[in-house]
Protein backbone atom coordinates (compact mmCIF):
# COMPACT_ATOMS: atom_id res chain seq x y z
CA UNK A 1 0.00 0.00 0.00
CA UNK A 2 1.42 3.37 -0.85
CA UNK A 3 2.23 5.92 1.82
CA UNK A 4 -0.52 8.28 0.69
CA UNK A 5 -3.18 5.58 0.96
CA UNK A 6 -1.76 4.40 4.27
CA UNK A 7 -2.08 7.90 5.71
CA UNK A 8 -5.82 7.66 5.16
CA UNK A 9 -6.49 3.95 5.74
CA UNK A 10 -4.07 3.29 8.62
CA UNK A 11 -4.19 0.01 10.53
CA UNK A 12 -3.87 1.61 13.96
CA UNK A 13 -7.06 2.30 15.87
CA UNK A 14 -6.87 4.01 19.27
CA UNK A 15 -8.37 1.99 22.14
CA UNK A 16 -12.10 2.52 22.46
CA UNK A 17 -12.19 3.21 26.20
CA UNK A 18 -11.49 6.87 26.81
CA UNK A 19 -13.04 8.99 29.48
CA UNK A 20 -12.28 12.57 30.46
CA UNK A 21 -14.24 15.39 32.11
CA UNK A 22 -15.02 17.05 28.78
CA UNK A 23 -16.78 15.48 25.83
CA UNK A 24 -14.57 15.27 22.75
CA UNK A 25 -14.99 17.41 19.67
CA UNK A 26 -16.36 14.99 17.08
CA UNK A 27 -16.09 16.52 13.65
CA UNK A 28 -17.86 15.02 10.69
CA UNK A 29 -19.82 15.66 7.63
CA UNK A 30 -19.36 12.04 6.54
CA UNK A 31 -20.13 9.30 9.04
CA UNK A 32 -18.75 5.84 8.09
CA UNK A 33 -21.15 2.89 8.09
CA UNK A 34 -19.76 -0.62 8.60
CA UNK A 35 -22.14 -2.05 5.97
CA UNK A 36 -25.08 -1.09 3.80
CA UNK A 37 -27.34 -3.13 6.02
CA UNK A 38 -26.17 -1.06 9.00
CA UNK A 39 -26.62 2.14 7.01
CA UNK A 40 -30.23 1.22 6.21
CA UNK A 41 -31.00 0.36 9.80
CA UNK A 42 -29.69 3.53 11.32
CA UNK A 43 -32.01 6.16 12.79
CA UNK A 44 -30.64 9.55 13.85
CA UNK A 45 -33.90 10.99 15.15
CA UNK A 46 -33.89 9.17 18.48
CA UNK A 47 -30.12 9.59 18.92
CA UNK A 48 -29.59 5.83 18.77
CA UNK A 49 -27.01 6.04 15.99
CA UNK A 50 -25.12 8.31 13.59
CA UNK A 51 -25.84 8.91 9.92
CA UNK A 52 -24.46 12.28 8.84
CA UNK A 53 -22.75 15.19 10.59
CA UNK A 54 -25.75 17.45 10.14
CA UNK A 55 -27.95 14.98 12.01
CA UNK A 56 -25.72 14.74 15.05
CA UNK A 57 -22.42 13.59 16.51
CA UNK A 58 -21.50 12.49 20.05
CA UNK A 59 -20.69 16.15 20.79
CA UNK A 60 -24.01 17.62 19.64
CA UNK A 61 -26.13 14.73 20.99
CA UNK A 62 -24.53 15.23 24.42
CA UNK A 63 -25.12 18.98 24.38
CA UNK A 64 -28.74 18.46 23.30
CA UNK A 65 -29.41 15.99 26.10
CA UNK A 66 -27.91 18.29 28.74
CA UNK A 67 -29.91 21.28 27.50
CA UNK A 68 -33.16 19.28 27.47
CA UNK A 69 -32.49 18.36 31.11
CA UNK A 70 -31.55 21.95 32.02
CA UNK A 71 -34.86 23.31 30.78
CA UNK A 72 -37.01 20.46 32.05
CA UNK A 73 -37.80 19.01 28.62
CA UNK A 74 -37.06 15.71 26.92
CA UNK A 75 -36.04 16.63 23.35
CA UNK A 76 -33.62 19.28 22.10
CA UNK A 77 -32.53 20.57 18.68
CA UNK A 78 -29.52 22.84 18.20
CA UNK A 79 -29.63 25.76 15.78
CA UNK A 80 -26.90 28.18 14.59
CA UNK A 81 -28.26 31.10 16.68
CA UNK A 82 -31.10 32.00 19.02
CA UNK A 83 -32.87 33.80 16.20
CA UNK A 84 -32.49 30.71 14.00
CA UNK A 85 -34.31 28.75 16.74
CA UNK A 86 -37.22 31.25 16.60
CA UNK A 87 -37.32 31.03 12.80
CA UNK A 88 -37.14 27.23 12.94
CA UNK A 89 -40.20 27.04 15.23
CA UNK A 90 -42.15 29.42 12.96
CA UNK A 91 -41.22 27.53 9.80
CA UNK A 92 -41.97 24.12 11.33
CA UNK A 93 -45.35 24.98 12.85
CA UNK A 94 -46.93 27.71 10.68
CA UNK A 95 -48.51 27.44 7.24
CA UNK A 96 -50.26 29.84 4.88
CA UNK A 97 -53.45 31.21 6.45
CA UNK A 98 -52.24 30.72 10.04
CA UNK A 99 -51.75 33.54 12.51
CA UNK A 100 -49.03 33.87 15.14
CA UNK A 101 -49.32 36.14 18.22
CA UNK A 102 -46.23 37.92 19.53
CA UNK A 103 -45.86 39.93 22.77
CA UNK A 104 -45.24 43.64 22.26
CA UNK A 105 -42.02 43.44 24.32
CA UNK A 106 -40.63 40.43 22.41
CA UNK A 107 -37.06 40.18 21.20
CA UNK A 108 -37.46 42.57 18.26
CA UNK A 109 -36.25 40.28 15.41
CA UNK A 110 -39.09 37.87 16.29
CA UNK A 111 -41.52 40.60 15.12
CA UNK A 112 -39.31 41.46 12.13
CA UNK A 113 -39.46 37.85 10.93
CA UNK A 114 -43.26 37.98 11.14
CA UNK A 115 -43.33 41.25 9.19
CA UNK A 116 -40.92 39.87 6.59
CA UNK A 117 -40.79 36.20 5.57
CA UNK A 118 -43.93 35.07 7.43
CA UNK A 119 -45.99 37.78 5.73
CA UNK A 120 -44.51 36.72 2.38
CA UNK A 121 -45.68 33.15 3.09
CA UNK A 122 -49.22 34.36 3.81
CA UNK A 123 -48.88 33.95 7.58
CA UNK A 124 -50.30 36.89 9.54
CA UNK A 125 -49.36 38.08 13.01
CA UNK A 126 -50.75 40.25 15.77
CA UNK A 127 -48.96 41.88 18.66
CA UNK A 128 -50.51 41.45 22.12
CA UNK A 129 -50.01 43.07 25.52
CA UNK A 130 -48.26 40.38 27.62
CA UNK A 131 -49.33 42.06 30.89
CA UNK A 132 -53.01 41.69 29.98
CA UNK A 133 -54.33 38.13 29.71
CA UNK A 134 -57.65 39.45 28.37
CA UNK A 135 -55.86 41.18 25.52
CA UNK A 136 -54.33 37.87 24.44
CA UNK A 137 -57.70 36.13 24.88
CA UNK A 138 -59.40 38.66 22.62
CA UNK A 139 -56.86 38.10 19.84
CA UNK A 140 -57.00 34.29 19.62
CA UNK A 141 -59.10 33.23 16.63
CA UNK A 142 -59.59 29.93 14.79
CA UNK A 143 -56.61 30.96 12.62
CA UNK A 144 -54.27 31.32 15.62
CA UNK A 145 -51.78 28.49 15.55
CA UNK A 146 -48.94 29.70 17.77
CA UNK A 147 -48.44 32.16 20.64
CA UNK A 148 -44.95 33.39 21.49
CA UNK A 149 -44.16 34.19 25.13
CA UNK A 150 -41.23 35.91 26.76
CA UNK A 151 -40.44 36.27 30.50
CA UNK A 152 -39.15 38.81 31.24
CA UNK A 153 -39.75 40.90 28.11
CA UNK A 154 -36.79 42.24 26.15
CA UNK A 155 -35.42 45.66 27.15
CA UNK A 156 -38.37 46.79 29.31
CA UNK A 157 -38.31 43.63 31.44
CA UNK A 158 -42.04 43.35 32.21
CA UNK A 159 -42.73 39.96 33.80
CA UNK A 160 -45.99 38.43 32.56
CA UNK A 161 -48.36 36.11 34.41
CA UNK A 162 -46.87 33.18 32.51
CA UNK A 163 -49.13 30.55 34.09
CA UNK A 164 -52.28 32.48 33.15
CA UNK A 165 -51.07 33.04 29.56
CA UNK A 166 -50.17 29.35 29.15
CA UNK A 167 -53.44 28.24 30.73
CA UNK A 168 -55.32 30.41 28.24
CA UNK A 169 -53.40 28.93 25.28
CA UNK A 170 -54.15 25.38 26.51
CA UNK A 171 -57.84 26.19 26.98
CA UNK A 172 -58.06 27.61 23.45
CA UNK A 173 -56.04 24.81 21.90
CA UNK A 174 -53.16 26.88 20.52
CA UNK A 175 -49.49 26.06 20.83
CA UNK A 176 -47.33 28.28 23.02
CA UNK A 177 -43.59 28.76 22.65
CA UNK A 178 -41.48 30.56 25.24
CA UNK A 179 -38.28 32.45 24.51
CA UNK A 180 -36.51 31.14 27.61
CA UNK A 181 -33.23 33.05 27.20
CA UNK A 182 -33.79 35.24 30.29
CA UNK A 183 -34.66 32.38 32.66
CA UNK A 184 -32.06 30.12 31.02
CA UNK A 185 -33.71 27.05 32.57
CA UNK A 186 -32.58 28.25 36.00
CA UNK A 187 -35.00 30.97 37.17
CA UNK A 188 -38.08 28.76 36.64
CA UNK A 189 -39.13 25.55 34.89
CA UNK A 190 -41.08 26.47 31.77
CA UNK A 191 -42.43 22.91 31.49
CA UNK A 192 -43.66 22.84 35.08
CA UNK A 193 -45.25 26.15 36.01
CA UNK A 194 -47.06 24.46 38.92
CA UNK A 195 -43.82 23.29 40.58
CA UNK A 196 -43.69 19.61 41.29
CA UNK A 197 -47.17 18.97 39.92
CA UNK A 198 -46.25 19.07 36.23
CA UNK A 199 -49.78 20.22 35.40
CA UNK A 200 -49.00 23.25 33.33
CA UNK A 201 -46.16 24.02 30.96
CA UNK A 202 -45.33 25.60 27.64
CA UNK A 203 -45.27 23.40 24.54
CA UNK A 204 -41.72 24.33 23.65
CA UNK A 205 -38.93 26.74 24.49
CA UNK A 206 -36.22 28.36 22.49
CA UNK A 207 -33.01 29.52 24.15
CA UNK A 208 -30.30 31.84 22.80
CA UNK A 209 -27.32 29.77 23.98
CA UNK A 210 -25.34 32.78 22.76
CA UNK A 211 -26.07 34.37 26.14
CA UNK A 212 -25.60 32.45 29.43
CA UNK A 213 -24.79 28.93 28.21
CA UNK A 214 -21.92 30.26 26.07
CA UNK A 215 -20.99 32.81 28.70
CA UNK A 216 -18.05 34.10 26.69
CA UNK A 217 -19.59 36.53 24.19
CA UNK A 218 -17.91 34.44 21.50
CA UNK A 219 -20.37 31.75 20.36
CA UNK A 220 -23.66 32.02 18.48
CA UNK A 221 -26.05 29.13 19.04
CA UNK A 222 -29.66 28.39 19.86
CA UNK A 223 -31.78 25.50 21.03
CA UNK A 224 -35.37 24.31 20.87
CA UNK A 225 -36.62 22.11 23.72
CA UNK A 226 -39.94 20.30 24.10
CA UNK A 227 -41.50 17.52 26.14
CA UNK A 228 -43.81 16.49 23.31
CA UNK A 229 -42.71 13.50 21.20
CA UNK A 230 -44.99 14.61 18.39
CA UNK A 231 -43.71 18.22 18.35
CA UNK A 232 -40.14 16.92 18.50
CA UNK A 233 -40.79 14.78 15.44
CA UNK A 234 -42.21 17.73 13.47
CA UNK A 235 -39.34 20.02 14.53
CA UNK A 236 -36.69 17.42 13.70
CA UNK A 237 -38.12 16.80 10.24
CA UNK A 238 -37.95 20.54 9.57
CA UNK A 239 -34.40 20.50 10.91
CA UNK A 240 -33.48 17.80 8.41
CA UNK A 241 -35.03 19.77 5.54
CA UNK A 242 -33.59 23.18 6.45
CA UNK A 243 -30.10 21.84 7.09
CA UNK A 244 -29.18 24.32 9.81
CA UNK A 245 -26.50 22.56 11.81
CA UNK A 246 -23.94 23.82 14.33
CA UNK A 247 -20.15 23.50 14.32
CA UNK A 248 -18.51 20.90 16.56
CA UNK A 249 -16.05 23.38 18.09
CA UNK A 250 -18.89 25.71 19.02
CA UNK A 251 -20.89 22.86 20.53
CA UNK A 252 -17.87 21.87 22.61
CA UNK A 253 -17.42 25.45 23.82
CA UNK A 254 -21.01 25.58 25.04
CA UNK A 255 -20.62 22.16 26.71
CA UNK A 256 -17.51 23.43 28.49
CA UNK A 257 -19.27 26.56 29.79
CA UNK A 258 -22.55 24.89 30.65
CA UNK A 259 -21.30 23.34 33.88
CA UNK A 260 -20.42 26.74 35.35
CA UNK A 261 -23.57 28.46 34.12
CA UNK A 262 -25.59 28.20 37.36
CA UNK A 263 -22.73 29.84 39.29
CA UNK A 264 -22.29 32.61 36.70
CA UNK A 265 -26.04 33.21 36.52
CA UNK A 266 -26.26 33.68 40.29
CA UNK A 267 -23.19 35.91 40.47
CA UNK A 268 -24.47 38.14 37.67
CA UNK A 269 -27.94 38.19 39.25
CA UNK A 270 -26.50 39.37 42.57
CA UNK A 271 -24.35 42.07 40.97
CA UNK A 272 -27.23 43.25 38.77
CA UNK A 273 -29.60 43.56 41.73
CA UNK A 274 -27.01 45.45 43.76
CA UNK A 275 -26.46 47.90 40.94
CA UNK A 276 -30.17 48.16 40.05
CA UNK A 277 -31.03 49.04 43.66
CA UNK A 278 -28.36 51.75 43.66
CA UNK A 279 -29.58 53.11 40.30
CA UNK A 280 -33.09 53.38 41.78
CA UNK A 281 -31.66 55.90 44.26
CA UNK A 282 -30.18 58.10 41.51
CA UNK A 283 -32.33 61.07 40.39
CA UNK A 284 -30.98 60.85 36.82
CA UNK A 285 -32.94 57.60 36.40
CA UNK A 286 -36.70 58.02 36.65
CA UNK A 287 -37.38 54.25 36.62
CA UNK A 288 -35.35 51.05 37.00
CA UNK A 289 -36.79 48.04 35.16
CA UNK A 290 -35.75 44.80 36.86
CA UNK A 291 -38.43 42.22 37.75
CA UNK A 292 -36.95 41.63 41.23
CA UNK A 293 -37.52 45.30 42.15
CA UNK A 294 -40.95 45.80 43.70
CA UNK A 295 -41.55 48.90 41.57
CA UNK A 296 -40.92 47.05 38.31
CA UNK A 297 -43.85 46.02 36.07
CA UNK A 298 -44.93 42.43 36.75
CA UNK A 299 -42.84 42.11 39.93
CA UNK A 300 -45.58 40.05 41.63
CA UNK A 301 -45.62 37.64 38.67
CA UNK A 302 -41.85 37.23 38.93
CA UNK A 303 -42.14 36.61 42.66
CA UNK A 304 -44.81 34.00 42.20
CA UNK A 305 -42.82 32.04 39.62
CA UNK A 306 -39.17 32.57 40.57
CA UNK A 307 -39.20 32.70 44.38
CA UNK A 308 -39.17 29.10 45.65
CA UNK A 309 -38.20 27.29 48.86
CA UNK A 310 -34.87 26.46 47.17
CA UNK A 311 -34.34 30.05 46.04
CA UNK A 312 -35.96 32.25 48.71
CA UNK A 313 -34.59 35.40 47.07
CA UNK A 314 -35.69 34.22 43.64
CA UNK A 315 -33.51 34.11 40.56
CA UNK A 316 -33.23 36.67 37.77
CA UNK A 317 -30.91 37.25 34.84
CA UNK A 318 -28.17 39.85 35.33
CA UNK A 319 -29.74 42.42 33.08
CA UNK A 320 -31.90 45.50 33.64
CA UNK A 321 -32.86 48.80 32.06
CA UNK A 322 -33.05 52.35 33.34
CA UNK A 323 -35.43 55.02 32.08
CA UNK A 324 -33.47 58.27 31.86
CA UNK A 325 -35.17 61.35 33.29
CA UNK A 326 -37.27 62.81 30.48
CA UNK A 327 -35.52 66.19 30.65
CA UNK A 328 -32.37 64.62 29.15
CA UNK A 329 -31.95 64.89 25.38
CA UNK A 330 -30.86 61.93 23.30
CA UNK A 331 -27.47 63.62 22.94
CA UNK A 332 -27.12 63.70 26.72
CA UNK A 333 -28.14 60.04 27.00
CA UNK A 334 -25.62 59.14 24.28
CA UNK A 335 -22.95 61.11 26.16
CA UNK A 336 -23.71 59.06 29.31
CA UNK A 337 -23.38 55.75 27.40
CA UNK A 338 -20.19 56.91 25.67
CA UNK A 339 -18.67 58.01 29.00
CA UNK A 340 -18.99 54.53 30.54
CA UNK A 341 -15.60 52.82 30.66
CA UNK A 342 -16.26 49.29 31.95
CA UNK A 343 -19.65 48.97 30.24
CA UNK A 344 -18.85 48.50 26.56
CA UNK A 345 -21.29 49.46 23.82
CA UNK A 346 -22.58 46.25 22.28
CA UNK A 347 -25.46 43.83 21.79
CA UNK A 348 -25.99 40.52 23.57
CA UNK A 349 -25.51 39.62 27.25
CA UNK A 350 -24.51 36.82 29.62
CA UNK A 351 -20.78 37.20 28.93
CA UNK A 352 -17.92 38.33 31.19
CA UNK A 353 -18.02 41.96 30.07
CA UNK A 354 -20.74 44.42 31.04
CA UNK A 355 -22.56 46.02 28.11
CA UNK A 356 -24.73 49.09 27.54
CA UNK A 357 -27.20 49.97 24.77
CA UNK A 358 -29.77 52.79 24.45
CA UNK A 359 -33.16 51.91 22.94
CA UNK A 360 -35.83 53.99 21.27
CA UNK A 361 -39.03 52.45 22.62
CA UNK A 362 -41.28 54.60 20.43
CA UNK A 363 -40.03 52.85 17.27
CA UNK A 364 -40.15 49.29 18.58
CA UNK A 365 -43.54 49.17 20.32
CA UNK A 366 -46.95 48.91 18.74
CA UNK A 367 -48.95 50.15 21.72
CA UNK A 368 -48.13 52.83 24.24
CA UNK A 369 -46.97 51.48 27.57
CA UNK A 370 -48.50 53.47 30.41
CA UNK A 371 -46.46 51.55 33.00
CA UNK A 372 -43.25 53.04 31.60
CA UNK A 373 -42.06 56.49 32.57
CA UNK A 374 -41.37 58.83 29.69
CA UNK A 375 -37.71 59.08 28.77
CA UNK A 376 -35.05 57.20 26.90
CA UNK A 377 -34.37 53.59 27.88
CA UNK A 378 -30.82 52.34 28.45
CA UNK A 379 -30.19 48.64 28.99
CA UNK A 380 -27.33 47.53 31.22
CA UNK A 381 -26.09 43.93 30.93
CA UNK A 382 -23.99 42.89 33.89
CA UNK A 383 -20.83 40.88 33.32
CA UNK A 384 -18.52 39.33 35.87
CA UNK A 385 -16.76 42.49 37.03
CA UNK A 386 -17.01 43.54 40.70
CA UNK A 387 -20.34 45.28 41.37
CA UNK A 388 -18.71 48.23 43.16
CA UNK A 389 -16.48 48.91 40.14
CA UNK A 390 -19.56 48.93 37.89
CA UNK A 391 -21.36 51.30 40.27
CA UNK A 392 -18.35 53.65 40.28
CA UNK A 393 -18.35 53.52 36.48
CA UNK A 394 -22.04 54.50 36.23
CA UNK A 395 -21.47 57.34 38.72
CA UNK A 396 -18.46 58.74 36.86
CA UNK A 397 -20.36 58.53 33.55
CA UNK A 398 -23.34 60.43 35.02
CA UNK A 399 -20.93 63.08 36.28
CA UNK A 400 -18.90 63.31 33.10
CA UNK A 401 -22.08 63.64 30.99
CA UNK A 402 -23.21 66.28 33.49
CA UNK A 403 -26.42 64.47 34.29
CA UNK A 404 -25.61 64.72 37.97
CA UNK A 405 -23.92 67.47 39.89
C1 LIG B 1 -30.11 37.35 21.93
C2 LIG B 1 -31.51 36.89 22.01
C3 LIG B 1 -32.05 36.10 20.99
C4 LIG B 1 -31.30 35.75 19.73
O1 LIG B 1 -30.11 35.08 19.93
P1 LIG B 1 -28.95 35.14 18.82
O2 LIG B 1 -28.12 33.94 19.14
O3 LIG B 1 -28.24 36.44 19.01
O4 LIG B 1 -29.60 35.03 17.49
C5 LIG B 1 -33.36 35.67 21.13
N1 LIG B 1 -34.08 36.01 22.21
C6 LIG B 1 -33.60 36.75 23.21
C7 LIG B 1 -34.47 37.09 24.37
C8 LIG B 1 -32.29 37.23 23.14
O5 LIG B 1 -31.82 38.00 24.12
Amino acid sequence: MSRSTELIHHAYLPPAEFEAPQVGVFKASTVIFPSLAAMREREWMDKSSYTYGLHGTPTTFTLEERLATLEGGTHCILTPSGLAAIAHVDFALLKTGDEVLIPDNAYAPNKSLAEGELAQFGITHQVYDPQDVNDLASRITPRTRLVWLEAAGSVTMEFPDLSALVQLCKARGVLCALDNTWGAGLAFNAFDLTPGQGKLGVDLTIHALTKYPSGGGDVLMGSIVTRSDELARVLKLTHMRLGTGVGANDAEMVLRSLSSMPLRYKAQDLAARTLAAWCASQPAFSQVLHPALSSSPGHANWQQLCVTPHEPDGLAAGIFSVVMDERFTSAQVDAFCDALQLFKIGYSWGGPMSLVMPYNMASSRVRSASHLKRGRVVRLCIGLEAAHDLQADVLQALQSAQLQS
Side-chain angles (χ1 to χ4, degrees), residues 125-141:
H125 75 281
Q126 279 192 67
V127 169
Y128 71 92
D129 177 356
Q131 302 310 104
D132 181 358
V133 180
N134 293 327
D135 185 62
L136 177 61
S138 72
R139 290 173 196 282
I140 295 176
T141 72

Side-chain angles (χ1 to χ4, degrees), residues 27 38 75 155 157 172 224 283 286 295 310 333 350-351:
K27 293 192 152 192
H75 303 274
V155 185
M157 315 301 297
R172 303 286 286 272
I224 306 164
S286 57
S295 58
H310 287 301
V333 173

Side-chain angles (χ1 to χ4, degrees), residues 339-343 388-398:
L340 288 163
Q341 301 291 308
L342 299 178
F343 286 86
H388 61 267
D389 288 334
L390 296 176
Q391 182 179 315
D393 192 31
V394 173
L395 183 60
Q396 71 74 27
L398 285 173

Side-chain angles (χ1 to χ4, degrees), residues 270-394:
L270 189 62
R273 283 199 225 188
T274 305
L275 191 64
W278 176 79
C279 286
S281 72
Q282 298 301 301
F285 307 128
S286 57
Q287 198 175 11
V288 179
L289 303 166
H290 184 306
L293 293 186
S294 59
S295 58
S296 204
H299 168 70
N301 296 328
W302 170 81
Q303 228 172 3
Q304 195 167 17
L305 195 61
C306 301
V307 175
T308 63
H310 287 301
E311 295 292 347
D313 296 326
L315 278 175
I319 183 168
F320 65 96
S321 294
V322 291
V323 181
M324 307 293 296
D325 191 288
E326 65 175 318
R327 70 179 185 273
F328 300 139
T329 64
S330 56
Q332 283 176 301
V333 173
D334 286 0
F336 162 69
C337 295
D338 279 331
L340 288 163
Q341 301 291 308
L342 299 178
F343 286 86
K344 300 297 177 187
I345 298 166
Y347 293 108
S348 200
W349 43 293
M353 195 179 270
S354 291
L355 300 170
V356 62
M357 189 61 73
Y359 287 88
N360 180 359
M361 298 327 295
S363 73
S364 57
R365 290 291 155 88
V366 167
R367 62 199 74 248
S368 68
S370 57
H371 57 279
L372 297 177
K373 293 260 169 67
R374 291 166 59 90
R376 290 166 178 82
V377 176
V378 173
R379 189 171 79 171
L380 297 169
C381 308
I382 308 307
L384 288 166
E385 305 94 336
H388 61 267
D389 288 334
L390 296 176
Q391 182 179 315
D393 192 31
V394 173

